[in-house]
Structure formats: C-alpha cells, structure tokens
Amino acid sequence: GFSHSAFVFAYESLVGRADLATADIPPGALINFLQKGLQFVEIEKELEQHSAVGGSDLANGLALMAGARDASGAGKDAAAGSASGAAGKGAADSGAGGGPEANLAGTGAGKTTLDLYSKTKAGPTADSGWVTEADVTKLTGHEAEVLFCAWNPKANIVASGSSDSTVRIWTIPRGASGLPASTAASANPFVLHHELQQTLGALASTALHDVTTLDWRSDGQQLATGTYDGIARIWTVQGELKHTLRRHRGTIFSMRWNKSGTYLLSGSVDRTVVVWDAVQGKAIQEFDCHSSPILDVDWRDDTTFATCSTDMIIYCCKVNADQPIAKLVGHTNEVNAVKWSPDGTLLASCSDDCTAKVWKLGQDAFVHNFNEHEEQIYQIAWAPRGPGTADKSLLATASFDSLVKIWDVDTGKCIHTLDEHNDKVYSIAFSPDGHYLASGSLDATLRIWSLKDGKCIRKYKNDGGIYEVSWNMDGDKVAACYGAPSKMVCIIDFHK
C-alpha cells in the first residue's frame, strides 16, 4: 500500500519535474505540499461549479493563498519555490492592471486552477535543467550493463555494446524523445551476437565474449566490434556479419577506422596493434613495439596512427613502415587514451599519473602538461574545428576526481572547471558545433555544459553509472549508456 501510494503521489504531483535531486527538503514539507494540494483541488471544484458567478472572489483567493505560501517560508524549498515565485508575479500583475477579472478572462472558459498551476511550473522546470522521465527515449533489451554507445555518423541510428555479448543497432525515430520513441526504437533492433557456442560447445563462457569496443566507419555503412576473447568483427548497418578477424591473443581494448574506411586498427592486451584490410578482412601488418597491454589507438590520417599502453609510452606508427616513426616518453603511469587534434597537428594523451599532455610530431618533449587534476584522467576529447565552431583549440579532460576541465590549447590555460559531478567521470563528448560538452559519470548523471560560460544547462539521472556518452550528427540528441541496474541506453533531446 505504501509503495503504491508513493508511486501515485509522485506521478500525480509531477514531482519528477522539480529540481529535488540537489535540494534540501525541510521537515513538514510533504504535509505542507499535500495541504496546499487539497486547497487547490477544493478551489478547482468551486471554479467548475460556479464559473459564471464569483470568479473575482475566487481569483483573489488564489492570489491570497499564493501570498500566504510565500510568507510562510514554504517557497524556500526548490519544488515549491518555483511555483510560489510565478504565482506571486501573477498576483502582482493582477493588482497593477485590470484586476483579477482580466487574468481570468485570459484563461478561457474551459481552463481550471490546475491549468494555471501547470503554467507557473513550466518556466522553473525548464530553468532547472533536469530532464523528466517523460522526455527520455529508453532503449531496453540488454541483459547486462551497457558499456559502449555510438551514434551512426550519417543516420539516426545508435549502436550499443554490452557485457551480455551482444551489440544492438537501434533506429531512433525523428522528433521528440519519450515513450513513443522508446517503444518504436526498442521494438526490433538488430542484435549482433558474439558468442561462439557452435565451436566451444558447453565450455563456452559468455564472459569471454563481452563487447569491449565498437566504432562506426565514417560513411556509417559498417560497424567494427571487439570482444574480450580477442576476436574482432565487421558488421553491416543492418546487422549482417561481413568479416571475423582473428589475430589477437587477448582482449581488444580499442578499434578505430581510418578516415577513408580502408583500414581498421585494433589494439590488444596481447601488446600488439594490428592493421586490417577492411575490404578483404585480412591482417596486413602487426606492430609489437609495446611491452605491456595497449589501451588505446587513434588515426592521424589514412596511414599514420598513435598507440598508448600501460608501459607509459606512446608510439606513432605508419602503415608499411617497419618501425615506429616516433616514441613519446613523459608520462609516469599508464597512458589511458590518445587523441589527434582535428587537423592532425597535435596529439593529446591522458594518464593515471593525473596529467594530460599535448605533443607535436617531430618534437620529443610535450608541448603542454596539464596537471590540475588530483586523480587519474580517464578520457580526453578535442573540440571540433570548422565553420560555425569555436575559434579556439579546446581540449576536454575527464577524471576520477569527478571533474571535467576545458583547456585552451593555444594558451595552455584551463578556462573552465566543470564540477557538478560527484563521482568518477568516464566519458565526455563535444557537440558537433563544439559549443557544448556532454559528460557521463558513475554518479548516474548525464550533464550538458555550455562552453560559453561553463554552466550546466541540461541534466538527467537514471540508475547505474554512465560509461559512454555520444551526440547524434545533428547535435540535437545525446545518448548515454548505463550499467546495472538500468542496463539501458537513454537518449535526451537538446535544443540550443
């Protein structure tokens, strides 16, 4: 009974639209809320029964009730304060011009007090930045935590990878996110199975086939996936398996297509990097310069790439070259990620040594050493460059200290510290125009930040940590993949 009552209260009161996640709820707030709710219901009944008589007195009653609520101090909490501020403004307006009759005349004969109250809530809900559950597309079906998600670069399609040994390809309806979109998208996704039951029989273990990485080709027509057992695969956008790539002897941590989609690069715990002919599905070259597991790889152009490892070293290599063309030494702990700048002139890296560094090919020493984080830096991202983007070269860093920092690479200065997360930040992604940043954390929140002032302007919370965030090609939707207990991908809309 209690659980049912709590659900009904939350649903009917629209409490999910109030900014309660970060507010202190004073003692007696619930009782006060219910008392005021009953008063509103009573007045609504009176309005419905006597809409043609005494409207002026009833409107005055509403204004007085709003004023009394402000005077009692209930308007200080986050949920009630928004409504009382709007109601108070309405009362002031009625006294300043035309009287309460003018306000009622503007509402229309069919409107009720609850309609008026809904209008007062609309502004504060938008201002709070919290996305309601009704405005979220939820992609359900995975049976274990979802570790990866990526929008197709050419279509409204999302790929998600899970420790349930599957990748799912979801077609997302255009238009607003919400329950209808959730139902449509979750109905018939393409499910890409990675188990090898037919060859391993009863000894097959689902854990061996956890999806560990995925990447779309630049034209959006093919998807590459890697798994815990060291096998890579290439799939069509319709979920058809094109190639099974066997060469690695350990877990594949990173896979990347080159810019033209002719080569595929994979880095593994077996300490090797393999270059694959993606058309033929064959390995054409293997690099074994690292002495420890490889954590990340990234292409500079169609033939040059960088690799990083737990051995604290970064190598730059070239297809068909026997030896690395550069060895970058400077980190004092595992290097977690490497990313080339959009124009390919600079390479960024981040490490468990709590620093991010920027390198320039041809120079042995790093150009910048960003050392303001207090814990390991897990991810980095460059802001896009081009028409309509920011006029600065920006780099974002995400750390286990719960902070995201934005760096002006031209000056080497930190221009924003984004500090609203309260747990490790695993993923960051710039919007296509480079003016906004999405971040996902183990605190279960997805946040979107404006880089104009470093303010958080949109936020959403579900159950479980977020492992990856991704923007669609139009920059109006953001996907976040959740671990247990949610085990889903959540998509929110973003309107500038």
Side-chain angles (χ1 to χ4, degrees), residues 254-482:
S254 182
M255 295 190 73
R256 296 288 184 273
W257 292 90
N258 70 347
K259 299 182 185 302
S260 65
T262 55
Y263 293 141
L264 188 62
L265 192 64
S266 59
S268 169
V269 71
D270 66 7
R271 305 187 300 276
T272 68
V273 174
V274 176
V275 180
W276 307 86
D277 180 329
V279 177
Q280 300 296 323
K282 297 180 179 178
I284 62 173
Q285 194 170 6
E286 179 178 310
F287 293 83
D288 60 355
C289 39
H290 285 286
S291 60
S292 296
I294 294 169
L295 300 182
D296 197 19
V297 297
D298 194 45
W299 290 96
R300 181 192 188 195
D301 49 40
D302 273 344
T303 58
T304 309
F305 59 89
T307 66
C308 66
S309 165
T310 60
D311 64 10
M312 303 179 289
I313 298 173
I314 300 167
Y315 285 105
C316 297
C317 305
K318 193 174 183 66
V319 177
N320 295 326
D322 294 334
Q323 299 296 324
I325 60 176
K327 178 180 180 180
L328 306 177
V329 180
H331 284 294
T332 58
N333 209 326
E334 299 179 3
V335 184
N336 295 316
V338 285
K339 295 289 182 293
W340 289 98
S341 60
D343 61 5
T345 59
L346 299 173
L347 177 69
S349 61
C350 63
S351 167
D352 279 1
D353 65 9
C354 308
T355 72
K357 302 182 189 299
V358 177
W359 314 78
K360 189 170 185 178
L361 204 58
Q363 298 182 14
D364 293 334
F366 44 79
V367 177
H368 294 297
N369 181 42
F370 300 138
N371 58 4
E372 294 184 15
H373 284 289
E374 296 181 356
E375 294 188 37
Q376 54 262 52
I377 303 175
Y378 187 76
Q379 192 56 266
I380 48 179
W382 289 92
R385 299 300 301 270
T389 63
D391 57 357
K392 298 179 180 179
S393 182
L394 300 180
L395 180 73
T397 55
S399 171
F400 283 7
D401 63 8
S402 79
L403 301 179
V404 176
K405 289 181 178 287
I406 309 297
W407 308 85
D408 184 337
V409 178
D410 297 329
T411 64
K413 303 294 184 181
C414 178
I415 59 174
H416 295 302
T417 297
L418 315 180
D419 60 358
E420 291 190 21
H421 286 297
N422 55 37
D423 207 337
K424 301 172 182 177
V425 183
Y426 266 100
S427 182
I428 45 177
F430 280 96
S431 61
D433 63 8
H435 294 297
Y436 304 92
L437 183 83
S439 61
S441 165
L442 287 189
D443 66 8
T445 64
L446 163 66
R447 295 177 182 270
I448 300 178
W449 314 79
S450 169
L451 300 184
K452 180 179 179 179
D453 54 13
K455 298 292 181 63
C456 180
I457 55 177
R458 295 285 277 173
K459 43 197 172 181
Y460 171 70
K461 186 171 185 178
N462 205 308
D463 295 325
I466 296 177
Y467 292 103
E468 189 158 30
V469 297
S470 177
W471 292 82
N472 71 341
M473 60 180 179
D474 296 323
D476 59 4
K477 292 182 184 293
V478 181
C481 57
Y482 278 85

Side-chain angles (χ1 to χ4, degrees), residues 56 92-105:
S56 173
D93 291 344
S94 66
E101 293 88 353
N103 278 341
L104 278 181

Side-chain angles (χ1 to χ4, degrees), residues 5 39 80 108 133 143 172 179 189 199 226 252-253 349 369 387 442 477 485-486:
S5 300
Q39 292 176 17
E133 294 295 329
E143 298 176 357
I172 310 302
L179 181 58
T199 58
I252 299 173
F253 282 137
S349 61
N369 181 42
L442 287 189
K477 292 182 184 293
S486 294

Side-chain angles (χ1 to χ4, degrees), residues 15 17-26 29 33 73-85 117 121 124-125 128 130:
V15 69
R17 298 196 177 191
D19 189 8
L20 299 180
T22 57
D24 293 325
I25 310 301
F33 188 91
K76 293 182 180 179
D77 68 83
S82 299
S84 67
Y117 183 67
K121 292 292 291 180
T125 299
S128 71
W130 283 103

